[in-house]
C-alpha cells in the first residue's frame, strides 16, 4: 500500500508539472506588449471645473498612481497622465475664473454692503496711487512718505475687504485666485521633488524568484483595478464638463437672440457689456472643449496603462507556473533519487549495516540538496551571502566541533610520538592493540586486565581521535615496540623449588636475552634507571609455590615468545618430575 501511494503521489506531481508547463506556454508573453505612444509636452491634460471652486481629483489621482510604475512602459504612461491632469487643472481654473465673471450672483445685503465697500476702497487706492506719482514727480519731501504709507494702509484694507466679500458669497474670483496660487506653489514643490529623485534603473525581465513573482502578481492585480477606476472617473468628469458645455451653449444662444432684439434700445455701454459677455462665453466654451478632450485622453491613457499592466500580469503568472513546475521537477527528482538509492543498496554486496548507513546518508544528502534548491527557487540567492556564510560557518563549527577536534587529533596520532597499528596502548582506561586508525576514529582490540594481560577479550572498541588532544593515552610500545610480559608457574610442594626456579629463570633469560639487551640499550638513551633483565617473583600458593616471571619482548612477538616459554618450562617440570622415579628404580 505504501508503494502504491508513493507511485500515485509521483504520478500526481508529474501531472501537475505538465499542467503548469502547458498553462505557462498558453499565457501571453512579454513580447505581446501594446504599442507605446509617445506624446508631446504640449498634449492637453485636465479635470473638470466647477462653479466657484476647482476639482483637483484628476491631478491627485495621477499623482497617486505615479508611484505604481514597475517598468519603463508604465513610467511613460504615468508621465502622460500627470501632464494631462496638470493641463486639465489649469484649464479648470481658467474656466472657473470666467464663470465667476460671467455669472454674477445675486448678493445678500451683507455681501452687497461689502461690495460697495470694496468699490469705495478701490477708488481710494486709485487716488492714493495718483497722489504718490504726483508727489514723486513734483514734491519729493516728507509728504511723499506719508502718501506711501497711506497708500499701503488703504491697499491692505482693500485686500481684507475682498476676502470678506469672498467669504460672504460675493465675488468668487479672489477665492479662485487663492486656490490657483496654492495649486501652483504645490506644483512647483512637486516638480522640484521629482527632479531631485534618482532615476529608477529597471532590471531586465521579471523578478527572478517565485516569492517576488507572487508578490508582483498581486500588486499588478490591484494596480489594474485602480487604473480602471481612474479611467472611469475621468470619463465621468468629461461627461460633467460636456453637460456644462451644452448648458452654456444653449444659454449663450438665447442671450444672443435677446441682445440682438434689444440692440436698438441699448446704449453703448450695454452693448459693450454684451460683447464682453459673449467673448467670455466663447472663451469658456473653448476651455470646456479642451477640458473634455483632455479628460478623454487621460481616460485613454489609463486604459492603455491598465492593458500594459494586464500583459505584465499574464507574464508574471506564466513565470509563477514555471517556478511551480521547477519545484515539482525537483520533488520528482528527489523521489527517483531515493528509489535509485534503495535499488542500489538492495543489489549491493555490502554488509547490511554498512548498506543501511550509506543509504541513510545518501537520502539525507539528496533531501538537503533538494530543499536548498527549492528555497533558491522560491526566495532566490541570499542578498547578504558573506554574512550568511559566516554565520553558517560559525554554527557548523560549534555543531561539528567534536568532528573537527577528532580530525586534528588524527594528525597528532600520525606524528612522531603518536600510535601505530599493532601498538599496545591504553585509552580512557581500556587497554588493547590498535587495529585501525581512521580520520575520525581509532579502533582497538581490547586486551585483558593486569591479571590477564595480552589476551584479547574479543571486543572491538572505537574511540574518537579527540582523545589525542583533550585527554591522554599510554603507549606501551617503544620505538621498537618493547613491552613487559609475564608468565605464571606453579611449583608443587615437595619439589626442589630453588633449582626449579633457577632453571626457569635461565630458560627465560636464554629465550629473551637478546630482546632484553636491545631494549636496555634503547632505554638507556632515555634514562639510566631502566633495567631490562628478567625478574622473578615468588609467593606462597595453595598447592606449593607460585612463581611469576616478568620479561621484555617485542609487542608483535609476545604470543609466540610466551608459547615457547610455556612449552620449555613444561618440559623442565616434567623432566624434574621423572628424575625421582628414575632414582628410586
Amino acid at each position: 500500500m505504501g508503494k502504491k501511494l508513493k507511485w500515485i503521489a509521483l504520478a500526481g506531481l508529474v501531472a501537475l508539472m505538465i499542467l503548469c508547463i502547458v498553462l505557462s506556454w498558453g499565457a501571453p508573453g512579454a513580447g505581446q506588449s501594446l504599442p507605446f505612444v509617445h506624446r508631446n509636452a504640449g498634449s492637453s491634460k485636465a479635470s473638470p471645473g466647477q462653479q466657484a471652486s476647482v476639482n483637483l481629483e484628476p491631478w491627485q489621482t495621477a499623482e497617486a498612481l505615479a508611484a505604481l510604475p514597475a517598468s519603463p512602459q508604465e513610467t511613460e504612461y504615468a508621465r502622460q497622465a500627470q501632464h494631462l491632469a496638470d493641463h486639465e487643472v489649469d484649464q479648470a481654473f481658467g474656466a472657473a475664473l470666467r464663470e465667476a465673471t460671467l455669472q454674477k450672483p445675486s448678493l445678500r445685503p451683507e455681501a452687497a454692503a461689502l461690495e460697495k465697500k470694496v468699490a469705495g476702497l478701490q477708488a481710494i487706492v486709485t487716488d492714493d496711487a495718483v497722489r504718490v506719482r504726483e508727489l514723486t514727480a513734483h514734491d519729493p519731501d516728507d509728504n511723499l512718505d506719508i502718501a506711501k504709507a497711506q497708500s499701503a494702509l488703504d491697499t491692505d484694507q482693500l485686500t481684507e475687504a475682498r476676502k470678506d466679500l469672498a467669504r460672504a458669497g460675493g465675488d468668487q474670483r479672489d477665492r479662485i485666485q487663492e486656490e490657483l496660487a496654492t495649486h501652483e506653489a504645490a506644483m512647483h514643490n512637486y516638480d522640484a521633488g521629482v527632479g531631485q529623485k534618482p532615476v529608477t534603473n529597471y532590471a531586465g525581465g521579471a523578478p527572478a524568484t517565485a516569492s517576488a513573482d507572487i508578490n508582483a502578481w498581486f500588486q499588478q492585480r490591484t494596480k489594474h483595478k485602480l487604473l480602471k477606476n481612474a479611467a472611469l472617473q475621468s470619463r465621468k468628469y468629461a461627461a460633467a464638463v460636456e453637460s456644462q458645455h451644452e448648458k452654456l451653449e444653449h444659454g449663450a444662444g438665447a442671450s444672443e437672440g435677446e441682445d440682438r432684439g434689444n440692440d436698438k434700445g441699448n446704449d453703448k455701454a450695454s452693448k459693450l457689456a454684451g460683447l464682453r459677455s459673449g467673448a467670455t462665453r466663447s472663451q469658456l466654451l473653448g476651455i470646456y472643449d479642451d477640458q473634455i478632450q483632455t479628460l478623454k485622453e487621460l481616460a485613454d491613457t489609463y486604459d492603455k496603462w491598465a492593458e500594459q499592466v494586464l500583459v505584465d500580469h499574464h507574464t508574471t503568472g506564466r513565470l509563477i507556473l514555471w517556478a511551480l513546475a521547477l519545484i515539482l521537477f525537483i520533488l520528482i527528482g528527489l523521489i527517483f533519487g531515493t528509489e535509485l538509492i534503495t535499488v542500489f543498496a538492495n543489489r549491493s554486496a555490502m554488509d547490511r549495516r554498512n548498506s543501511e548507513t550509506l543509504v541513510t546518508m545518501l537520502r539525507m544528502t539528496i533531501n538537503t540538496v533538494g530543499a536548498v534548491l527549492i528555497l533558491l527557487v522560491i526566495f532566490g540567492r541570499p542578498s547578504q551571502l558573506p554574512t550568511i556564510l559566516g554565520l553558517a560557518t560559525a554554527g557548523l563549527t560549534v555543531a561539528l566541533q567534536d568532528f573537527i577536534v577528532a580530525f586534528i587529533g588524527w594528525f597528532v596520532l600520525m606524528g612522531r610520538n603518536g600510535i601505530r597499528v599493532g601498538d599496545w596502548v591504553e585509552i580512557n582506561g581500556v587497554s588493547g592493540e590498535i587495529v585501525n586508525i581512521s580520520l575520525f576514529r581509532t579502533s582497538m582490540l581490547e586486551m585483558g586486565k593486569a591479571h590477564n594481560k595480552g589476551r584479547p577479550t574479543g571486543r572491538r572498541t572505537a574511540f574518537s581521535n579527540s582523545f589525542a588532544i583533550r585527554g591522554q593515552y599510554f603507549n606501551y610500545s617503544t620505538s621498537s615496540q618493547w613491552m613487559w610480559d609475564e608468565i605464571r608457574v606453579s611449583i608443587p610442594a615437595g619439589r626442589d623449588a630453588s633449582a626449579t626456579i633457577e632453571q626457569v629463570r635461565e630458560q627465560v633469560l636464554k629465550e629473551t636475552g637478546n630482546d632484553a639487551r636491545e631494549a636496555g640499550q634503547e632505554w638507556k638513551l632515555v634514562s639510566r634507571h631502566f633495567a631490562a633483565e628478567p625478574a622473578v617473583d615468588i609467593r606462597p600458593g595453595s598447592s606449593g609455590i607460585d612463581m611469576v616471571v616478568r620479561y621484555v619482548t617485542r609487542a608483535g612477538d609476545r604470543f609466540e615468545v610466551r608459547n615457547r616459554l610455556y612449552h620449555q618450562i613444561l618440559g623442565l617440570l616434567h623432566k624434574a618430575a621423572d628424575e625421582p622415579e628414575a632414582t628410586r628404580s
Side-chain angles (χ1 to χ4, degrees):
M1 180 61 69
K3 291 184 178 180
K4 289 183 178 179
L5 290 177
K6 183 184 295 184
W7 287 112
I8 291 174
L10 180 62
L13 291 175
V14 173
L16 284 175
M17 183 183 71
I18 295 174
L19 180 62
C20 291
I21 294 175
V22 172
L23 292 177
S24 65
W25 278 108
Q32 301 177 5
S33 58
L34 299 173
F36 205 68
V37 180
H38 298 276
R39 298 195 178 272
N40 299 328
S43 297
S44 53
K45 309 102 189 172
S47 153
Q50 295 180 350
Q51 301 261 340
S53 61
V54 175
N55 183 12
L56 300 178
E57 289 186 5
W59 164 251
Q60 294 169 352
T61 301
E63 183 182 10
L65 293 176
L68 299 182
S71 66
Q73 292 86 354
E74 291 186 41
T75 301
E76 185 64 26
Y77 284 128
R79 290 174 180 172
Q80 289 183 30
Q82 286 179 300
H83 291 321
L84 291 169
D86 182 31
H87 180 74
E88 195 277 337
V89 169
D90 292 339
Q91 293 296 85
F93 274 111
L97 289 173
R98 287 166 176 77
E99 286 176 355
T101 302
L102 186 63
Q103 299 175 359
K104 191 73 172 179
S106 58
L107 302 180
R108 293 176 298 177
E110 180 183 358
L114 288 173
E115 187 177 32
K116 291 181 180 180
K117 181 179 179 181
V118 168
L121 289 173
Q122 182 65 51
I124 293 173
V125 168
T126 302
D127 293 339
D128 290 340
V130 173
R131 179 172 175 74
V132 168
R133 286 196 299 273
E134 291 176 352
L135 290 175
T136 301
H138 301 93
D139 189 16
D141 54 6
D142 295 339
N143 293 329
L144 177 61
D145 295 334
I146 296 174
K148 287 182 177 180
Q150 184 65 42
S151 176
L153 177 61
D154 293 338
T155 301
D156 293 339
Q157 290 179 352
L158 175 62
T159 302
E160 186 64 27
R162 285 176 175 174
K163 292 180 179 179
D164 293 339
L165 178 60
R167 285 193 295 269
D171 192 358
Q172 300 294 327
R173 288 176 295 179
D174 291 336
R175 185 171 67 180
I176 296 173
Q177 289 288 354
E178 291 180 2
E179 292 180 4
L180 178 59
T182 303
H183 174 70
E184 288 178 349
M187 288 297 302
H188 178 74
N189 295 333
Y190 177 81
D191 293 338
V194 170
Q196 294 175 358
K197 291 182 180 179
V199 180
T200 304
N201 293 323
Y202 297 96
T209 63
S211 60
D213 288 335
I214 294 173
N215 185 37
W217 191 85
F218 284 106
Q219 290 180 354
Q220 290 163 354
R221 184 178 179 182
T222 303
K223 189 192 304 184
H224 184 266
K225 292 181 180 179
L226 292 175
L227 292 171
K228 282 298 184 182
N229 291 335
L232 180 61
Q233 183 186 56
S234 297
R235 289 190 173 89
K236 288 182 179 179
Y237 292 152
V241 176
E242 286 181 352
S243 176
Q244 293 181 7
H245 183 279
E246 293 178 359
K247 182 178 178 181
L248 179 62
E249 192 173 19
H250 293 159
S255 299
E256 288 178 1
E258 293 178 0
D259 293 340
R260 290 173 181 175
N262 298 326
D263 278 346
K264 296 180 179 181
N266 291 338
D267 56 9
K268 185 177 180 181
S270 299
K271 189 178 294 185
L272 181 60
L275 292 174
R276 289 178 178 176
S277 177
T280 302
R281 288 191 182 93
S282 299
Q283 294 174 0
L284 192 56
L285 289 173
I287 293 175
Y288 282 160
D289 290 334
D290 193 1
Q291 280 187 275
I292 294 170
Q293 181 64 27
T294 302
L295 286 170
K296 289 181 178 180
E297 290 183 7
L298 183 61
D300 293 339
T301 301
Y302 285 140
D303 285 335
K304 293 176 181 179
W305 187 357
E307 291 177 5
Q308 179 63 46
V309 171
L310 188 61
V311 171
D312 295 338
H313 186 64
H314 291 316
T315 303
T316 305
R318 184 178 66 173
L319 294 175
I320 293 174
L321 292 175
W322 272 111
L324 181 58
L326 182 57
I327 293 174
L328 294 173
F329 177 76
I330 294 173
L331 292 175
I332 294 170
L334 291 178
I335 294 175
F336 274 109
T338 53
E339 289 297 324
L340 289 176
I341 291 173
T342 304
V343 173
F344 171 77
N346 293 334
R347 296 183 179 181
S348 176
M350 298 174 59
D351 179 67
R352 183 181 61 83
R353 295 177 59 186
N354 294 336
S355 177
E356 291 178 356
T357 302
L358 180 61
V359 168
T360 302
M361 294 180 62
L362 290 177
R363 284 181 176 175
M364 183 177 65
T365 303
I366 290 178
N367 291 334
T368 302
V369 172
V372 170
L373 291 177
I374 291 175
L375 290 176
L376 288 176
V377 172
I378 296 176
F379 300 105
R381 188 179 64 181
S383 57
Q384 300 294 334
L385 187 59
T387 303
I388 294 175
L389 289 178
L391 294 175
T393 303
L396 289 176
T397 302
V398 174
L400 303 176
Q401 57 179 333
D402 292 336
F403 291 94
I404 296 173
V405 175
F407 179 71
I408 298 174
W410 178 81
F411 289 96
V412 176
L413 295 176
M414 291 294 102
R416 180 178 179 183
N417 298 320
I419 60 177
R420 300 292 183 271
V421 175
D423 286 357
W424 183 20
V425 300
E426 179 182 335
I427 303 173
N428 295 337
V430 180
S431 300
E433 181 180 352
I434 300 297
V435 295
N436 183 39
I437 303 176
S438 63
L439 288 176
F440 300 103
R441 290 185 176 274
T442 298
S443 300
M444 174 198 300
L445 184 63
E446 186 183 22
M447 299 295 178
K449 298 298 181 181
H451 62 278
N452 196 24
K453 282 186 177 180
R455 295 185 180 180
T457 62
R459 292 187 297 225
R460 185 185 177 105
T461 308
F463 299 91
S464 174
N465 289 341
S466 59
F467 72 86
I469 296 177
R470 293 178 174 174
Q472 57 185 4
Y473 61 93
F474 302 97
N475 191 347
Y476 296 111
S477 301
T478 62
S479 59
S480 298
Q481 297 186 358
W482 302 110
M483 62 172 293
W484 284 97
D485 201 0
E486 64 181 27
I487 59 175
R488 296 175 180 271
V489 180
S490 296
I491 302 175
R495 296 278 181 91
D496 187 357
S498 299
T500 304
I501 291 171
E502 186 62 27
Q503 291 175 356
V504 171
R505 183 178 179 280
E506 290 178 357
Q507 190 64 40
V508 171
L509 184 60
K510 179 182 178 181
E511 183 66 31
T512 63
N514 293 332
D515 291 343
R517 283 191 297 272
E518 293 180 10
Q521 291 175 0
E522 293 185 8
W523 288 348
K524 284 180 181 180
L525 299 176
V526 180
S527 174
R528 296 181 180 274
H529 300 288
F530 286 136
E533 291 79 8
V536 179
D537 184 15
I538 301 174
R539 65 191 67 175
S542 59
S543 59
I545 298 174
D546 291 338
M547 180 177 62
V548 179
V549 182
R550 299 180 69 249
Y551 57 90
V552 174
T553 183
R554 295 182 184 273
D557 300 335
R558 63 182 183 275
F559 295 111
E560 296 180 4
V561 174
R562 184 187 300 175
N563 290 333
R564 288 199 301 268
L565 287 175
Y566 275 129
H567 182 72
Q568 293 170 4
I569 291 172
L570 287 176
L572 290 175
L573 293 178
H574 284 297
K575 183 178 180 180
D578 293 340
E579 285 181 356
E581 295 180 0
T583 303
R584 284 195 298 271
S585 61

